[in-house]
Amino acid sequence: MDYNENNIFYKILIGEISCQKVYEDSNVLAFYDIHPKALQHIIVIPKGRYVSFDDFAAHGTDHEINAFFRTVQKIANDLGISTDGYRLISNHGKNANQEVPHFHVHLLGGEPLGRKLVKE
Ligand code: AMP
């Protein structure tokens, strides 16, 4: 699947749409999910144009992949949700109901999340 710039996270990345920013550096942007499923629900995206985790893992550079996942860990730590625990989710493709075709990780925490994948 080719990357299509006509997606909401790309528009956030280029500043066309605003977001509630949590963190930004040269590789990564993180912002609060507009429909939070936990007390803390952050979307973390790489600045590179990757459709999903599958695309990122296959085609991202070692530097991009390393920077991305280390930054997810740093954000969780900075938010103070590491000690009690958090959940990472990344939807790839239609069976996972991926809505936004720019690779992202959902970082959820700040409260007990239960055993299911996401709080309804
Ligand atoms: P996914 O199903 O993994 O593609 O999830 C997309 C997520 O993006 C959903 O949790 C939405 O609530 C979230 N979302 C959509 N638009 C925005 C936005 N403008 N700002 C922040 N989060 C958004």
Side-chain angles (χ1 to χ4, degrees):
M1 187 178 174
D2 289 334
Y3 185 83
N4 185 341
E5 291 180 352
N6 190 24
N7 74 76
I8 199 123
F9 291 171
Y10 184 77
K11 289 176 181 171
I12 288 174
L13 206 47
I14 64 172
E16 203 174 296
I17 290 178
S18 64
C19 69
Q20 205 182 337
K21 195 185 294 184
V22 173
Y23 177 88
E24 182 169 20
D25 66 21
S26 55
N27 296 295
V28 176
L29 176 67
F31 49 89
Y32 284 104
D33 195 292
I34 205 166
H35 298 302
K37 298 289 195 294
L39 272 181
Q40 297 277 3
H41 184 172
I42 294 99
I43 298 283
V44 190
I45 67 173
K47 291 195 169 177
R49 300 168 187 212
Y50 300 99
V51 176
S52 68
F53 169 78
D54 196 72
D55 186 22
F56 187 61
H59 302 115
T61 66
D62 289 351
H63 175 71
E64 286 174 310
I65 291 170
N66 185 47
F68 182 78
F69 286 103
R70 286 195 188 279
T71 303
V72 173
Q73 188 276 340
K74 175 183 162 38
I75 292 166
N77 203 52
D78 289 352
L79 288 171
I81 61 174
S82 297
T83 306
D84 287 340
Y86 56 81
R87 179 172 290 149
L88 299 180
I89 297 174
S90 189
N91 296 314
H92 160 67
K94 66 175 165 48
N95 277 0
N97 290 311
Q98 182 182 1
E99 289 172 15
V100 181
H102 181 111
F103 169 50
H104 54 281
V105 163
H106 298 254
L107 169 59
L108 301 129
E111 63 176 331
L113 299 168
R115 295 177 66 85
K116 54 195 171 185
L117 285 177
V118 284
K119 213 171 72 161
E120 297 296 333

